[in-house]
Amino acid sequence: MIRFLLKGILRDKQRSLLPVVIVIIGVFLTVAMFCWLNGVLSDSIELNARFNAGHVKIMTAAYAKNVDQLPNDLALTGVDTLLIRLKKDFPEIVWGERIHFGGLIDAPDARGETRTQGPAMGFGIDLLSGNHSEIERFNLEKSLRRGRLPLHHGEILMSDEFSRKLKVNPGDTVTLIGSTMNGSMAMYNYIVSGTIAFGTGPMDQGSVIADLEDVRNALDMNNAAGEIVGYLADNYYDEKKIGQIVNRFNSLFPVSKDEYAPVLVTLRQQNSLGQMIDQIKGVGGFAVFIFVLSMSLVLWNAGLLGGLRRYPEFGLRLAIGEDYSHIYFTMIYESVLIGIIGSIIGTLIGLLASLYMQRHGLDLSSMMKNATILMPTVFHTRITPIAFFIGFIPGLVSTVIGTMLSGIGIYKRKTAQLFKELEA
C-alpha cells in the first residue's frame, strides 16, 4: 500500500508538488530560525566566557566579593601548585591564569614628557609560553589591525581605537601607571607591538593586553594571579557538566573562613549572566514556540485545503464502490508520506544553511557600534541534536492533522449527491 501511494505522489505532481513545497519551506524556516536563536544565545555566552567569566573561575573568597574593583592585593598566590592540582583533578577543564588590572597609559613625546594619557582596562594573559590557547580564545590573530602580536617580553597590544585616540603607533613606547599587589605605585614601560579591534564597544574603547609574566613583573605579583579561568574542552557552556564540576570542587576545597582560600564561581554567577541567559532562553524559546506554531497553522491549513480540493476525486472513488474508511486512511497515509518527504528535504536545506552560517556568521557590527555591554558583532547559528527533529513538528504532525480534519467530510458524502456531481 505504501509503495503504491508513494508512486502516486511522485507521478501525480499536480496533486503532490504544492503540498511538498509548502512543507519544505515551512520546515526550512523552522529549522533555520531555531538554529539562529540557539546560535545567538551561544555566541553571547561564549563571548562573555572568553573575555571575562570563563565557564568557571577560581578566585580567593575576598577577591570574589570585590571582583568589580579588580583587587589584585587579594589575588591568588602559589598558583603554580594550585594549577598542578586543578589539572590533575579536573582534566576535562582547560585552565588559564589571568590578571585583570586598571591603570593609566601614558604616551610620551620626543622629549619623554607626557603627550597624551588615557585610562585603560588591562589583561595579563599567556602570550609567550608557546601555548596558544589564550591567543585563540581572544581571537588575537584575526583581530590584529596594525603591527604584530608580541614576540618578546616588554611588548603590549592596544585596542586600535584606543591607540588612535592616544596617537600611538606600533613601535612606540608607552608607560603603564598603576598600583602593585602591595599597594605601591607601579610604572612600567612597554613597546606597542600592534593594535587590535575586538568588535565590541567596551573592549575597543580602552583595553591593553600584555604577557602574564610582564604584568606580574609590573605589578609585583610573582607566582600570583587575580583569577584562574576554566573552559570545557569543547568550548561550549554546559550547565549540567559545570554543576558536576562545582560539586567536585567543593568536596576537594571545603568552605573555609580564610578569605584567601580559593573559591569557584560559574559563568551564571558572574556579571548578572545567569539572568541574561535565562532571559535570552525565555525569549528565544517563546519565539521558537510562536514560529513553530505559526508554521504548524500554515501547514495545517495547507493540508486542509489539499483535502478539500480533492473532494471530486473522493466522490468518484465512492461512486465506484470504494469504502469510506479506506479512502480516509489512504488520504492520511499520503499526507504522512508528503510530510516525511517535505520534512526531510526542508530539514536538510535548513541544516545546510545553518551550517554555512555557523562557519561564516552574519556581521552586524554596524548595528553594534554604540553597544555598552559585551555582545558579539558577528552572529553564528548553532546546530544541536534538536535541530534534526524540530522541523517534523510542523512538517509532519500539522500536515497530517489538517488532512485528518478535511477528510472528515468524506463521511458526509451521499450517494445521490455523488451522481449529481458526476453528471455535472
Side-chain angles (χ1 to χ4, degrees):
M1 174 62 74
I2 295 176
R3 184 178 180 184
F4 173 76
L5 293 174
L6 184 59
K7 285 184 177 180
I9 291 172
L10 296 176
R11 290 176 179 176
D12 189 356
K13 291 183 172 57
Q14 291 183 346
R15 183 178 69 183
S16 61
L17 182 60
L18 181 61
V20 169
V21 169
I22 293 175
V23 173
I24 289 173
I25 294 173
V27 172
F28 160 72
L29 292 174
T30 301
V31 172
M33 176 62 72
F34 175 78
C35 293
W36 171 257
L37 291 174
N38 201 23
V40 170
L41 173 63
S42 298
D43 282 352
S44 300
I45 292 174
E46 291 307 316
L47 183 70
N48 282 277
R50 287 189 289 114
F51 285 126
N52 185 20
H55 293 161
V56 293
K57 182 186 288 186
I58 296 176
M59 303 170 282
T60 64
Y63 189 103
K65 291 179 181 179
N66 302 278
V67 65
D68 292 336
Q69 302 174 23
L70 305 178
N72 285 322
D73 55 318
L74 303 174
L76 292 163
T77 56
V79 291
D80 53 355
T81 304
L82 179 58
L83 271 175
I84 292 173
R85 186 175 179 184
L86 290 173
K87 291 176 180 179
K88 178 182 177 182
D89 294 332
F90 302 93
E92 70 274 35
I93 295 286
V94 179
W95 300 100
E97 307 162 79
R98 287 184 185 171
I99 298 175
H100 289 270
F101 60 94
L104 279 176
I105 293 294
D106 181 278
D109 57 18
R111 295 178 296 176
E113 298 179 357
T114 298
R115 184 181 75 243
T116 54
Q117 281 186 340
M121 173 180 63
F123 297 86
I125 62 174
D126 181 7
L127 295 176
L128 302 177
S129 72
N131 184 344
H132 291 169
S133 297
E134 291 284 67
I135 294 176
E136 294 172 359
R137 201 165 286 131
F138 277 72
N139 200 28
L140 295 181
E141 291 181 345
K142 293 183 179 179
S143 300
L144 194 65
R145 291 296 177 268
R146 294 182 293 158
R148 56 170 174 78
L149 297 182
L151 298 177
H152 310 286
H153 288 290
E155 296 182 335
I156 195 172
L157 290 170
M158 296 181 65
S159 66
D160 195 62
E161 181 180 333
F162 188 40
S163 69
R164 294 183 187 278
K165 179 180 176 182
L166 298 183
K167 299 179 181 179
V168 172
N169 297 308
D172 291 350
T173 299
V174 296
T175 302
L176 168 67
I177 303 174
S179 60
T180 68
M181 183 176 180
N182 301 314
S184 58
M185 177 176 285
M187 299 182 68
Y188 200 86
N189 291 330
Y190 287 99
I191 296 174
V192 178
S193 67
T195 65
I196 48 179
F198 294 102
T200 59
M203 293 289 292
D204 286 333
Q205 289 171 5
S207 59
V208 295
I209 297 178
D211 182 67
L212 183 67
E213 292 301 325
D214 284 339
V215 175
R216 281 174 171 162
N217 290 334
L219 304 183
D220 195 18
M221 296 181 65
N222 183 41
N223 197 21
E227 53 200 42
I228 298 176
V229 291
Y231 298 87
L232 293 172
D234 59 2
N235 283 328
Y236 281 112
Y237 183 72
D238 186 322
E239 291 195 59
K240 185 177 180 181
K241 292 181 181 178
I242 293 298
Q244 296 171 351
I245 290 168
V246 170
N247 293 333
R248 285 163 50 199
F249 182 90
N250 291 337
S251 64
L252 293 171
F253 298 88
V255 177
S256 171
K257 294 182 179 180
D258 182 4
E259 63 178 4
Y260 291 97
V263 296
L264 182 145
V265 295
T266 67
L267 182 145
R268 287 185 64 91
Q269 297 171 316
Q270 303 176 58
N271 304 327
S272 301
L273 290 176
Q275 182 180 358
M276 184 192 79
I277 292 171
D278 292 337
Q279 289 176 345
I280 294 177
K281 280 185 176 180
V283 173
F286 182 73
V288 169
F289 171 76
I290 294 298
F291 194 80
V292 171
L293 180 62
S294 302
M295 287 296 101
S296 298
L297 293 174
V298 170
L299 297 178
W300 180 345
N301 190 49
L304 187 63
L305 292 175
L308 293 174
R309 285 190 295 103
R310 296 177 61 190
Y311 268 13
E313 173 195 334
F314 300 147
L316 179 61
R317 292 166 65 179
L318 289 169
I320 62 178
E322 192 170 351
D323 184 70
Y324 286 91
S325 297
H326 185 266
I327 295 176
Y328 181 70
F329 284 108
T330 54
M331 182 180 171
I332 293 175
Y333 294 151
E334 286 182 7
S335 68
V336 171
L337 291 174
I338 289 173
I340 291 175
I341 293 171
S343 297
I344 291 175
I345 297 175
T347 298
L348 182 61
I349 296 174
L351 290 175
L352 288 174
S354 299
L355 180 62
Y356 176 84
M357 290 298 295
Q358 183 171 288
R359 292 182 176 177
H360 300 281
L362 178 64
D363 189 352
L364 299 178
S365 56
S366 59
M367 301 173 60
M368 306 290 289
K369 288 182 178 179
N370 298 320
T372 57
I373 60 175
L374 202 57
M375 289 289 290
T377 56
V378 179
F379 290 91
H380 302 78
T381 57
R382 186 187 174 197
I383 299 174
T384 61
I386 298 177
F388 289 86
F389 308 104
I390 195 169
F392 284 82
I393 297 175
L396 179 58
V397 177
S398 301
T399 303
V400 172
I401 292 176
T403 304
M404 291 173 66
L405 291 175
S406 65
I408 294 175
I410 294 173
Y411 291 94
K412 299 179 181 180
R413 307 300 296 275
K414 298 183 182 298
T415 306
Q417 181 69 26
L418 295 176
F419 282 107
K420 288 183 180 180
E421 292 178 359
L422 293 173
E423 289 175 0

